[in-house]
Amino acid sequence: MSQMKAADLAVIKAMPGNDKCAECGLKQPQWASVSFGTVFCLECSGVHRSLGVHISFVRSIAMDSWTAPQLALMKAGGNMKCANYLTSNGIASSMSIQQKYDTGPAKLYKEVLKARAEGRPEPTSLPRPAPKKQYKPSPNSNGSNTNKVQDQNGMERLNNESEADYVKRQLRLREEAKVRMAAKFGNSGNRTMGGVGSQPTSSGFENNFSMDDVAGTLSTGMASATIGLNSAWNTARSSGVASSVTGAGLGLWSSMRSQASNMAEQLGGADGIIGGGDGLQALNQKMKGETNTSSRAYSGFGSDDMQLKTSGSKESHNDVAAAANEDPNSIAALTGETDKQYMERQIKIREEAKKRMDDKFGKTRNMGTASSL
């Protein structure tokens, strides 16, 4: 394949009608249709390209490479020969390019041009298209392909397989799969082998879960809270703030104990609604037992065994100035503030809040003092 030689170009240009565009008549055409052996201008070449290469194969005379068979088609054709053939077969020259070259005579002319270039007799009709193969199902298929290779391990029913045989085969396949999973992953692999409607295997958490665990967890949490309150109380008592913190501590613990007792009683009395015997009453009794049987010397603010030991004198408040980025009314400790000063400041904040509430709503509100026990 190489560019068109000057001698070949001279032969093609000298052919009748090739001095102008085969479509619009513009002088000096530089493009060609190998399929029809014609030449045309740049604008008309774009229309020929839009037809597709199966109708018109377009090449540039000067820029593209050419093969010997392609040059033979150009030398056997020409603008005038193509126009005369189409006109003699009822194709008017005024037809558009899209219509003209999609007709039967235009398709036959391409076959005639090939025969001329190859030295064969010119055909007088288009060759018949090869018949399409039609699928004919087997009479015994009943809409299915009996020649299809069937999978013995698949979900599809095999040919001539009864309902009982199908179920039996699927159960066997399922058991074999469970054995393979157990061999690969151990007993844990059986948890994923549940079919449609099967009951999933319960996990160890579901099997071992009980209300005793809940009670144990709650009692552990209560014990941890008691230890923390013990530490805070010991600090307040050693620093001489015990007398001042009595009211706040008694009210706080009384409120917490009352709410916990009410919640436990509600849970214990809901057996008829939730479905009694599920451990809620046992949880209530266990919570009461944790409170009554505590062996600690001090059970927290508001407990019956709390003994106040004060020094008999109330120390004056030594407020610490808050830094620029600190809030003196916050629950957070201030910079340089001791434990004693922190407790005094919090009590002061609470008393100020109580006074504001009394001024606004009167003294009917219960602020959780020692009298609320």
Side-chain angles (χ1 to χ4, degrees):
M1 179 182 289
S2 60
Q3 288 186 330
M4 188 179 295
K5 296 180 180 179
D8 296 328
L9 179 60
V11 171
I12 294 173
K13 284 186 175 182
M15 298 178 67
N18 283 8
D19 58 333
K20 59 184 179 181
C21 176
E23 309 299 339
C24 66
L26 189 66
K27 297 291 185 178
Q28 296 182 352
Q30 296 296 321
W31 295 84
S33 173
V34 180
S35 305
F36 294 97
T38 56
V39 293
F40 34 71
C41 65
L42 176 63
E43 183 176 355
C44 294
S45 69
V47 182
H48 269 263
R49 286 184 183 275
S50 67
L51 301 178
V53 295
H54 64 290
I55 295 178
S56 180
F57 183 56
V58 179
R59 307 292 290 171
S60 171
I61 295 176
M63 295 182 293
D64 289 333
S65 299
W66 291 75
T67 63
Q70 292 172 351
L71 291 173
L73 288 171
M74 295 300 299
K75 293 177 181 179
N79 288 1
M80 185 174 289
K81 290 181 181 180
C82 180
N84 292 340
Y85 185 90
L86 296 178
T87 302
S88 62
N89 286 275
I91 305 300
S93 58
S94 60
M95 292 180 65
S96 65
I97 295 177
Q98 291 86 346
Q99 294 174 333
K100 182 191 303 183
Y101 294 104
D102 197 27
T103 59
K107 295 177 182 179
L108 179 58
Y109 180 74
K110 290 196 297 183
E111 300 299 326
V112 170
L113 188 61
K114 289 179 182 178
R116 291 176 184 174
E118 296 173 1
R120 296 182 289 105
E122 298 180 6
T124 57
S125 62
L126 290 172
R128 293 180 179 181
K132 295 182 179 179
K133 294 183 179 181
Q134 297 181 353
Y135 170 74
K136 295 182 179 181
S138 174
N140 299 328
S141 63
N142 295 326
S144 61
N145 188 1
T146 56
N147 296 327
K148 178 182 177 181
V149 178
Q150 294 184 314
D151 184 8
Q152 297 289 333
N153 297 327
M155 292 292 295
E156 296 182 1
R157 180 174 297 180
L158 305 178
N159 293 334
N160 302 324
E161 186 178 36
S162 64
E163 183 72 20
D165 292 338
Y166 173 76
V167 173
K168 183 178 179 180
R169 182 170 60 88
Q170 293 301 320
L171 291 176
R172 176 180 56 82
L173 294 175
R174 183 176 183 272
E175 293 301 323
E176 292 176 354
K178 288 177 64 177
V179 172
R180 291 194 299 269
M181 292 293 291
K184 186 173 184 179
F185 300 105
N187 293 331
S188 60
N190 293 331
R191 295 187 69 251
T192 61
M193 294 303 298
V196 177
S198 63
Q199 295 293 333
T201 304
S202 300
S203 64
F205 175 78
E206 295 170 346
N207 291 334
N208 300 328
F209 179 80
S210 65
M211 293 302 296
D212 290 338
D213 296 330
V214 177
T217 302
L218 289 177
S219 63
T220 302
M222 293 174 63
S224 299
T226 301
I227 294 173
L229 291 173
N230 265 328
S231 177
W233 173 251
N234 291 332
T235 301
R237 184 170 57 183
S238 62
S239 58
V241 193
S243 59
S244 300
V245 82
T246 302
L250 291 176
L252 174 62
W253 183 250
S254 175
S255 178
M256 292 173 59
R257 187 174 61 179
S258 176
Q259 292 295 333
S261 177
N262 291 338
M263 182 177 67
E265 291 176 359
Q266 292 174 4
L267 290 175
D271 292 346
I273 301 175
I274 304 175
D278 58 356
L280 293 178
Q281 287 184 339
L283 173 61
N284 187 16
Q285 294 297 329
K286 188 164 187 175
M287 290 178 63
K288 291 181 178 179
E290 289 291 340
T291 304
N292 296 332
T293 61
S294 175
S295 60
R296 299 181 180 275
Y298 169 65
S299 299
F301 287 126
S303 61
D304 296 335
D305 59 350
M306 182 178 68
Q307 301 293 331
L308 299 180
K309 295 181 180 180
T310 62
S311 59
S313 62
K314 185 175 181 181
E315 298 182 11
S316 61
H317 293 273
N318 296 323
D319 295 337
V320 177
N325 59 344
E326 293 179 334
D327 183 7
N329 295 323
S330 172
I331 195 172
L334 304 179
T335 303
E337 188 177 37
T338 64
D339 292 341
K340 175 182 175 181
Q341 292 170 335
Y342 173 79
M343 296 293 293
E344 291 176 345
R345 183 169 59 86
Q346 294 301 322
I347 294 172
K348 178 181 178 181
I349 293 173
R350 183 180 183 279
E351 294 299 327
E352 291 175 353
K354 180 181 177 182
K355 184 177 183 303
R356 289 195 298 270
M357 295 295 288
D358 289 343
D359 294 341
K360 186 173 182 180
F361 300 103
K363 296 187 178 181
T364 59
R365 292 174 55 89
N366 185 358
M367 294 299 295
T369 59
S371 61
S372 63
L373 289 174

